[in-house]
Amino acid sequence: MADRRLQVFHAVAKHGSFTRAAEHLFMTQPAVTFQIKQLEEHFDTRLLDRGHGKISLTPAGEIVLAYAERILGLSAELDSRVSEMTDELAGQIKIGTSTTIAAYWLPDVLESFKRKYPRVLPRVVVGNSKLTEERVAARDLDIGLIEIVTEQHNIERRSAARDELMIICSPDHPLAKFKKLSAKDLIAHPFIDRDPGNGIRQIADEFFEAAGIAGSEITLCAELGSLAAIKQLAAAGLGFAIASERAIRRDVLEGRLAAIRLEPRIYTPLEVLLPRDKFRSRLITTFADYVCEEFARMAKDKDAVI
């Protein structure tokens, strides 16, 4: 029920960018610009200063932002309170998720949740775990699904499940003949790493550090944010990578990749994040509980690839 112009202005002010606000709101940039122009005409004053590639709030903009946050918060709470008087859950939920969870865990969860609650509208934003964590902390998201353990005080975390991490490489790679591999077994071979901020990269770094191996000792083949690209390079024999078992299952079963267990075995956590001390609707609480239950079930029921 909140004024759409206030919603758009709030997003631009929080993101500091028309482009990022448009992405967050699932709008085009011209549409965002139009809404801001309409709001400035309504108040007959400039709310944003645009210059040198940066956006800043004018004194009037600071006042409008403070009231916009209160109005939008009350509007969301009103919608939730009224919808909770009915038996059926409905409304929008903003979900942030890591790339691996988005591709290999979340689709099954969303499918079954939507069948149960068809009037719910999930809006999913995909990024690495660190970015998702930051957006939950900033209250830009209702819920985050990531692969690192957060200690941020303004985030409530729930450990839903875990997935084993394995070495992947071409079936013809020299490493493919082993049943298990230690960190020292790997340093002679090119490594296809994840992008900074990725949860699996953080765990891999800790794995090598625990074995006393410095980053300078590792031969880096590539650093990629796309798991599909990582699997393609590994399958082509250009190096080895570390990936979660669920993400590689089909590739291994169909013979495109070999999977080797690490020694000691390591796991990626599946964490559900919620902003602490923020009004939480029945929809958000129900979805968070559902994700935890489904992730735990999927982790328990899956068949191992090796």
Side-chain angles (χ1 to χ4, degrees):
M1 288 186 61
D3 191 315
R4 184 61 169 170
R5 296 170 299 177
L6 284 180
Q7 294 175 331
V8 173
F9 173 75
H10 180 266
V12 172
K14 296 296 283 185
H15 290 281
S17 162
F18 281 74
T19 301
R20 288 197 293 272
E23 292 171 353
H24 175 73
L25 294 169
F26 302 93
M27 297 172 64
T28 64
Q29 187 169 328
V32 168
T33 302
F34 176 77
Q35 293 289 338
I36 296 298
K37 183 174 181 291
Q38 289 286 305
L39 190 63
E40 289 181 327
E41 289 178 354
H42 173 81
F43 289 114
D44 194 24
T45 188
R46 183 174 292 280
L47 303 176
L48 298 169
D49 282 328
R50 312 160 180 83
H52 306 292
K54 297 175 63 176
I55 292 176
S56 59
L57 293 170
T58 65
E62 295 278 3
I63 293 172
V64 173
L65 178 61
Y67 276 92
E69 289 181 337
R70 292 162 61 185
I71 292 168
L72 294 174
L74 285 171
S75 177
E77 186 171 341
L78 172 61
D79 290 342
S80 297
R81 293 291 190 195
V82 173
S83 67
E84 286 172 7
M85 296 179 68
T86 67
D87 290 332
E88 185 180 7
L89 286 183
Q92 175 182 301
I93 183 167
K94 293 177 288 185
I95 306 163
T97 174
S98 70
T99 52
T100 299
I101 292 176
Y104 301 100
W105 295 82
L106 187 58
D108 288 347
V109 174
L110 287 181
E111 180 187 349
S112 56
F113 193 80
K114 280 286 293 182
R115 291 186 186 281
K116 193 171 184 180
Y117 304 108
R119 293 182 59 207
V120 172
L121 175 62
R123 292 195 179 276
V124 179
V125 179
V126 180
N128 65 40
S129 289
K130 189 64 177 175
L131 177 61
T132 301
E133 177 189 34
E134 290 170 356
R135 295 193 66 184
V136 172
R139 302 188 176 194
D140 292 333
L141 297 169
D142 296 318
I143 187 168
L145 310 174
I146 66 171
E147 299 164 273
I148 55 176
V149 175
T150 180
E151 300 297 339
Q152 288 206 41
H153 70 278
N154 54 348
I155 290 178
E156 176 188 323
R157 55 173 282 257
R158 304 183 188 179
S159 296
R162 65 179 190 172
D163 197 15
E164 186 169 2
L165 294 179
M166 296 184 175
I167 295 297
I168 58 169
C169 60
S170 164
D172 299 324
H173 194 282
L175 293 174
K177 64 184 179 183
F178 293 95
K179 291 189 178 295
K180 58 184 180 180
L181 292 162
S182 69
K184 287 184 168 48
D185 295 326
L186 299 170
I187 57 175
H189 302 274
F191 179 40
I192 307 165
D193 204 358
R194 302 297 184 94
D195 58 320
N198 183 282
I200 292 178
R201 174 176 174 139
Q202 178 177 317
I203 297 170
D205 288 346
E206 292 168 356
F207 174 74
F208 286 114
E209 287 170 9
I213 296 171
S216 58
E217 297 180 69
I218 299 170
T219 303
L220 191 63
C221 169
E223 190 178 87
L224 302 171
S226 164
L227 178 56
I230 288 170
K231 292 197 289 186
Q232 182 169 336
L233 291 190
L238 297 181
F240 75 91
I242 296 176
S244 65
E245 188 276 337
R246 188 174 184 86
I248 61 172
R249 185 185 310 167
R250 176 173 293 181
D251 302 275
V252 173
L253 292 175
E254 294 180 357
R256 286 188 295 272
L257 289 171
I260 307 96
R261 203 162 257 132
L262 285 160
E263 182 62 39
R265 294 168 75 166
I266 58 173
Y267 300 84
T268 179
L270 302 178
E271 299 281 301
V272 176
L273 308 185
L274 296 160
R276 194 181 295 278
D277 301 326
K278 178 185 177 182
F279 168 75
R280 196 171 298 163
S281 67
R282 183 164 65 97
L283 169 56
I284 295 172
T285 300
T286 301
F287 184 73
D289 292 342
Y290 190 82
V291 170
C292 289
E293 292 169 3
E294 285 300 292
F295 278 6
R297 180 191 62 77
M298 292 162 72
K300 183 179 179 181
D301 292 348
K302 66 182 177 64
D303 296 321
V305 298
I306 62 172

